[in-house]
Amino acid sequence: MAWTLGQLRTFVTVVELGSMTRAAEQLGYSIGAVSQHMSALRRAVGSELLLRRGKGMVLAEAGRTLLPRARSILAAQKQAEMAMLGRDFRSEAIVTLGVFGSASTRALPSIVRALGELYPHIEVRAREINVETMSSAVIDGAIDLGIGINYPAVPLPPMRGLSWTTVASEDFGIVVPAGSTPPAGEELAEADWILPPAEELFGRAMRLATSAMGIAAKETHIVTDTAVALALAGTGLGLTLATPIMMSLGGPDVDLRPIAPASGQSGAEAGGREIIVLTSPDPADPVRAVAEVVAEVFRPRMGAMSFDHQWNRIRETNPDHSANYAQRWRTLAAAGHDIGGEARFVDAMAPRGGRILDAGCGTGRAGGLLLGEGHSVYGVDLDEFLIAVAEEDFPSGEWHTGDLAEFDFLGAGINDIDVAFCAGNVLSFLDPASRRQTLANIKSTLKSGGRFVAGFGAGRGYDFADFIEDVESTGMLVNLKLSTWELHPYEPDSEFLVLIAERV
């Protein structure tokens, strides 16, 4: 077949951009030249490559067969050029990555950032693909690789021309309006449910999950878009199921609660999903490199910790960091230094015998002092070593290891809180992707009129204006801004911010 590299390049560009006009603009050709390339390639192949569908185009059978091979030929030509120039041909390529909603929201920025650091010469082009058709998009060559979903309860069948690797797994939970308790028993069966269409894999998996809860869900709303389903659940129009990554498409109006399985069944039987990376069985080196980066971005999200918090990165670099941190505060206290400024501030805000949440409690240095003032104190921190110190030093408190963004406060009995506080620059150690979710989760613990107070310094990666906007996005009302825990007024050039907000 007497085709040319120019014709193959034009064909691939037309398919990727979905338009001869846009392909001409990108390639620097006239529309007539693009049309001539496509006609010559069609004659060389002896069959139609593209078919008109309304105003758009779809691949014909010959086009689906040619596309992945045309990409391989162009990649080989690029590799040969790079080899002749003495450059690393393995990392000089264009790779098309298929993504879907929650994967884009949660992981794509990290994927692009990691690729920029590890493989700066790989150009990644994201394509949003319906997750139900991600497999066929890889097989047909419409994308080089894709981030997809496999539901263990409704597993993907083996397919020729397709290989996949599981990079994360997560359980379903019940989505309810923020701060509310999910119904149980007969209430679940009587509730309205928001479900995907039954013919979709997600719809089948969700129905199997509700069956594992011992109910036949009342299918009141049939919704395909996860963001819409979460929005409906947030307004109280029904219950739905989601996973932690899916919740990134929601907002502060919804909470995710663990599923209580039916009698005689385990929580695992309620189901969940796996994040998978799909490629051809023998992908080219650049595609393989991108697949490895995607896997590494998702793998830290498996298990309890879904976010890449700075505190954890510090601990990985210095395994003694937590012990040194705890000892520093014990040394300061033993030397008579005042370490109770935040505790005195919170004590003044709380009623006598109040319920107080120490969010990011560390060693319990502030919460422990509040225990001494007669308050009930609940502390949560992701550092298990620091929690062990808090339990040893202040045994009358209730201390929990967990990520503030995802901790099930209601399940732990931490609700009707009078004052929740974050001291010691806690917020500056958060993964930026977790900030709004963390603030919304803390807000969910507060009683009506309960208050949230946080303080941290400037220049620590969390702009004060962004923080205030994030607090307001949860629906909390900002009451007061100060520049110290000693009540100095806040000025535009202040180097520290103490903010008080209220759940209204």
Side-chain angles (χ1 to χ4, degrees):
M1 293 185 180
W3 55 49
T4 68
L5 289 173
Q7 291 164 3
L8 293 177
R9 185 174 293 107
T10 298
F11 167 61
V12 170
T13 306
V14 168
V15 172
E16 289 182 346
L17 299 182
S19 163
M20 288 193 183
T21 301
R22 289 195 290 272
E25 292 174 354
Q26 177 162 311
L27 294 169
Y29 297 159
S30 67
I31 296 177
V34 170
S35 179
Q36 290 173 9
H37 278 192
M38 294 298 295
S39 296
L41 185 59
R42 182 176 65 251
R43 289 193 298 270
V45 172
S47 182
E48 293 291 339
L49 299 170
L50 296 169
L51 301 174
R52 287 282 178 185
R53 287 289 185 270
K55 295 182 179 181
M57 295 179 292
V58 297
L59 286 166
E61 182 176 353
R64 290 196 299 271
T65 300
L66 179 60
L67 182 60
R69 292 159 179 83
R71 282 180 166 146
S72 296
I73 292 169
L74 294 173
Q77 182 257 347
K78 181 70 172 178
Q79 292 170 3
E81 288 182 0
M82 295 302 104
M84 293 302 97
L85 293 172
R87 296 165 70 179
D88 183 4
F89 65 84
R90 291 172 300 175
S91 62
E92 300 244 1
I94 296 173
V95 175
T96 306
L97 172 65
V99 298
F100 62 93
S102 56
S104 302
T105 302
R106 193 68 178 271
L108 189 56
S110 298
I111 291 169
V112 172
R113 186 165 53 249
L115 284 168
E117 295 173 355
L118 296 172
Y119 304 103
H121 301 298
I122 294 181
E123 179 183 345
V124 175
R125 296 178 180 175
R127 296 285 185 270
E128 186 172 8
I129 306 289
N130 185 319
V131 72
E132 299 274 331
T133 61
M134 193 71 73
S135 299
S136 59
V138 173
I139 293 171
D140 292 344
I143 55 177
D144 294 311
L145 75 164
I147 303 171
I149 295 294
N150 181 48
Y151 300 100
V154 193
L156 288 174
M159 302 181 198
R160 286 188 61 187
L162 187 70
S163 177
W164 69 79
T165 302
T166 300
V167 296
S169 60
E170 48 182 2
D171 294 333
F172 284 138
I174 300 178
V175 181
V176 297
S180 64
T181 303
E186 293 183 1
E187 293 178 334
L188 284 171
E190 295 171 356
D192 294 322
W193 280 83
I194 307 159
L195 300 175
E199 60 270 19
E200 295 182 357
L201 290 175
F202 182 30
R204 292 164 61 191
M206 190 177 284
R207 285 163 177 80
L208 288 171
T210 56
S211 295
M213 297 160 60
I215 64 168
K218 185 167 63 173
E219 302 178 15
T220 305
H221 308 284
I222 304 299
V223 175
T224 300
D225 191 297
T226 297
V228 174
L230 295 176
L232 291 174
T235 59
L237 290 178
L239 302 175
T240 193
L241 300 181
T243 65
I245 291 178
M246 290 169 63
M247 291 295 286
S248 64
L249 297 176
D253 296 329
V254 286
D255 287 337
L256 187 65
R257 304 301 186 199
I259 289 176
S263 177
Q265 293 183 300
S266 69
E269 291 174 316
R273 68 177 192 172
E274 298 172 343
I275 308 293
I276 58 176
V277 179
L278 304 107
T279 66
S280 64
D282 187 23
D285 284 347
V287 176
R288 196 188 312 275
V290 174
E292 290 172 355
V293 169
V294 172
E296 288 305 310
V297 167
F298 273 100
R299 280 186 180 125
R301 302 181 186 277
M302 297 179 71
M305 298 299 177
S306 296
F307 293 102
D308 183 21
H309 297 298
Q310 183 184 356
W311 187 269
N312 283 336
R313 295 201 302 272
I314 293 172
R315 289 199 297 167
E316 290 173 0
T317 304
N318 178 12
D320 295 327
H321 176 73
S322 298
N324 294 338
Y325 176 84
Q327 185 57 49
R328 180 166 68 90
W329 286 110
R330 281 175 165 168
T331 300
L332 289 171
H337 290 277
D338 179 14
I339 62 171
E342 300 106 324
R344 290 193 299 273
F345 189 104
V346 173
D347 180 54
M349 292 175 58
R352 295 306 85 194
R355 291 171 60 82
I356 295 176
L357 169 63
D358 187 350
C361 60
T363 62
R365 63 173 182 86
L369 294 174
L370 290 164
L371 286 167
E373 297 298 326
H375 300 289
S376 297
V377 176
Y378 307 86
V380 177
D381 197 285
L382 57 76
D383 192 319
E384 63 282 352
F385 182 91
L386 299 184
I387 288 295
V389 173
E391 291 174 334
E392 179 181 345
D393 289 356
F394 308 104
S396 61
E398 188 174 307
W399 311 104
H400 300 267
T401 302
D403 187 334
L404 292 171
E406 299 177 324
F407 188 77
D408 182 10
F409 286 108
L410 191 62
I414 304 175
N415 53 13
D416 292 324
I417 293 295
D418 294 295
V419 181
F421 72 97
C422 290
N425 293 306
V426 165
L427 296 174
S428 65
F429 288 102
L430 296 177
D431 181 339
S434 77
R435 288 168 178 168
R436 291 199 174 189
Q437 186 172 324
T438 296
L439 294 169
N441 206 23
I442 291 172
K443 173 204 170 184
S444 73
T445 70
L446 297 173
K447 68 181 184 182
S448 180
R451 291 183 290 175
F452 167 65
V453 58
F456 62 98
R460 302 182 67 90
Y462 198 174
D463 186 80
F464 291 159
D466 292 340
F467 169 58
I468 293 169
E469 182 179 335
D470 289 346
V471 171
E472 291 175 336
S473 76
T474 70
M476 287 191 283
L477 176 66
V478 174
N479 292 145
L480 184 63
K481 291 181 287 183
L482 299 165
S483 65
T484 69
W485 293 101
E486 289 80 30
L487 309 182
H488 292 96
Y490 179 80
E491 303 292 345
D493 60 349
S494 293
E495 292 298 312
F496 199 87
L497 169 65
V498 177
L499 179 140
I500 300 176
E502 179 182 357
R503 179 170 187 172
V504 294

